[in-house]
């Protein structure tokens, strides 16, 4: 495993990519309401980051050859869809839990972030699912500092989710990010024996990571649906997913996708 450390100038360039992602997700959040289709959200995202001069990282992923790979500009995952949902004609309804994931490259550097919104009126248990997922990400961001191992952060993230009676997705994890969307290391939201034995790493100043808790109301098992992309919960309970790209600093970390 080789983890590339970024210079302050490189981190500043990633922050510019992060600003475009933030602007895109903010506009999508503003449009997300009952009666809107996921394709409309996807179109708005594409228009927003394209107007800003950025290129989307999801369309045609992973080969980026025209007509191949992922069909959307964003991933939009509704209710029992966890991640990698394909935007399309689905009309959103009140009570839906909608996660929108957006990644762009701007001036050669990547940003990746996701939000989950409940379309009101939504039942309190779904708002609680989203609150816990967001708080899990905030917890990680508060804990990160050099010389800790990632498992020192992932353990408390998992504990926080499970304390609330929810489950962490095991099959998908966060990742290093930089000139490419997916770099080393793997950044899970839980601790497994395999991770402790093989993939755990020490946090160092200059690491740039995409941290993305995926939390399920019910059991942790997921499956990929027939479209080949959309990850759904096996028990059809709702899931939430939030993500920030962060840079490890001397004393902690800073968020690169919060619009600052
Ligand atoms: Mg993402
Ligand atoms: Mg990501």
């Amino acid at each position: 495993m080789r983890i590339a450390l970024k210079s302050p100038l490189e981190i500043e360039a990633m922050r510019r990519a992060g600003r475009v992602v933030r602007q895109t997700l903010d506009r999508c959040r503003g449009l997300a309401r009952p009666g809107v289709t996921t394709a409309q959200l996807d179109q708005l995202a594409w228009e927003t980051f394209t107007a800003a001069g950025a290129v989307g990282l999801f369309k045609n992923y992973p080969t980026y050859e025209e007509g191949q790979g992922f069909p959307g500009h964003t991933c939009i995952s509704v209710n029992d869809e966890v991640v990698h949902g394909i935007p399309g004609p689905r009309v959103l309804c009140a009570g839906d839990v909608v996660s929108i994931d957006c990644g762009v490259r701007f001036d050669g550097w990547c940003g990746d972030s996701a939000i989950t919104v409940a379309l009101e009126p939504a039942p309190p248990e779904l708002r609680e699912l989203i609150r816990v997922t967001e708080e899990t990400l905030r917890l990680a961001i508060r804990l990160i500092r050099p010389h800790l191992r990632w498992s020192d952060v992932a353990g408390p993230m998992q504990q926080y989710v499970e304390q609330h009676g929810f489950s962490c997705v095991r099959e998908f994890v966060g990742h290093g990010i930089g000139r490419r969307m997916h770099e080393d290391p793997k950044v899970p939201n839980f601790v497994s024996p395999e991770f402790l034995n093989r993939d755990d790493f020490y946090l160092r100043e200059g690491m740039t990571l995409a941290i993305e808790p995926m939390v399920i109301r019910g059991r942790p098992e997921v499956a990929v649906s027939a479209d080949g992309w959309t990850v759904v919960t096996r028990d059809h309970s709702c899931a939430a997913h939030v993500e920030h790209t962060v840079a490890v600093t001397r004393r902690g970390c800073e968020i690169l996708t919060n619009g600052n």
Side-chain angles (χ1 to χ4, degrees):
M1 180 164 59
R2 202 189 140 270
I3 304 177
L5 301 180
K6 277 76 174 184
S7 71
L9 277 178
E10 291 171 332
I11 290 169
E12 218 25 64
M14 288 183 66
R15 184 183 288 289
R16 290 194 284 275
R19 273 189 209 117
V20 177
V21 174
R22 183 82 269 129
Q23 184 195 8
T24 302
L25 289 175
D26 285 350
R27 290 192 73 193
C28 287
R29 186 193 288 276
L31 180 64
R33 68 177 80 95
V36 167
T37 67
T38 55
Q40 284 175 283
L41 292 173
D42 192 56
Q43 176 67 20
L44 177 65
W46 178 83
E47 286 169 7
T48 305
F49 65 65
T50 302
V55 177
L57 292 168
F58 295 177
K59 178 80 172 174
N60 303 322
Y61 176 89
T63 63
Y64 297 113
E65 281 175 53
E66 199 47 49
Q68 289 187 32
F70 188 75
H73 302 289
T74 56
C75 295
I76 303 184
S77 310
V78 183
N79 297 339
D80 65 343
E81 300 172 353
V82 185
V83 286
H84 305 166
I86 300 173
R90 181 175 189 154
V91 180
L92 296 174
C93 304
D96 278 348
V97 171
V98 184
S99 72
I100 308 169
D101 191 347
C102 177
V104 307
R105 181 179 281 115
F106 182 76
D107 261 350
W109 292 92
C110 298
D112 188 7
S113 180
I115 57 172
T116 298
V117 295
L119 303 193
E120 299 296 344
E125 62 269 23
L126 296 183
R127 290 203 296 267
E128 172 71 357
L129 172 72
I130 295 172
R131 187 194 68 77
V132 167
T133 309
E134 290 173 341
E135 189 53 35
T136 303
L137 179 56
R138 278 194 287 269
L139 173 66
I141 287 166
R142 276 201 304 276
L143 290 174
I144 288 172
R145 59 182 160 79
H147 312 301
L148 285 185
R149 292 165 302 182
W150 180 254
S151 57
D152 298 325
V153 177
M157 292 172 80
Q158 176 179 3
Q159 206 173 26
Y160 185 79
V161 167
E162 292 177 353
Q163 265 169 12
H164 287 83
F166 301 142
S167 302
C168 295
V169 173
R170 297 299 186 117
E171 282 84 351
F172 297 89
V173 298
H175 47 93
I177 178 169
R179 287 199 175 271
R180 286 175 300 119
M181 174 166 61
H182 293 138
E183 299 184 349
D184 281 341
K186 292 185 183 119
V187 184
N189 311 295
F190 56 88
V191 173
S192 63
E194 303 91 280
F195 183 74
L196 286 175
N197 290 333
R198 197 187 54 199
D199 294 328
D200 204 2
F201 61 92
Y202 280 95
L203 290 162
R204 288 184 61 189
E205 186 179 359
M207 280 184 185
T208 45
L209 307 172
I211 304 166
E212 44 183 317
M214 293 156 241
V215 177
I216 300 177
R217 265 202 84 204
R219 296 203 38 86
E221 291 82 13
V222 297
V224 176
S225 52
D227 64 26
W229 287 101
T230 311
V231 176
V232 295
T233 60
R234 284 204 186 258
D235 66 4
H236 299 297
S237 61
C238 273
H241 170 224
V242 297
E243 177 178 23
H244 269 310
T245 297
V246 309
V248 182
T249 59
R250 189 179 313 187
R251 298 225 172 115
C253 79
E254 53 187 70
I255 305 172
L256 303 181
T257 43
N258 61 3
N260 291 341

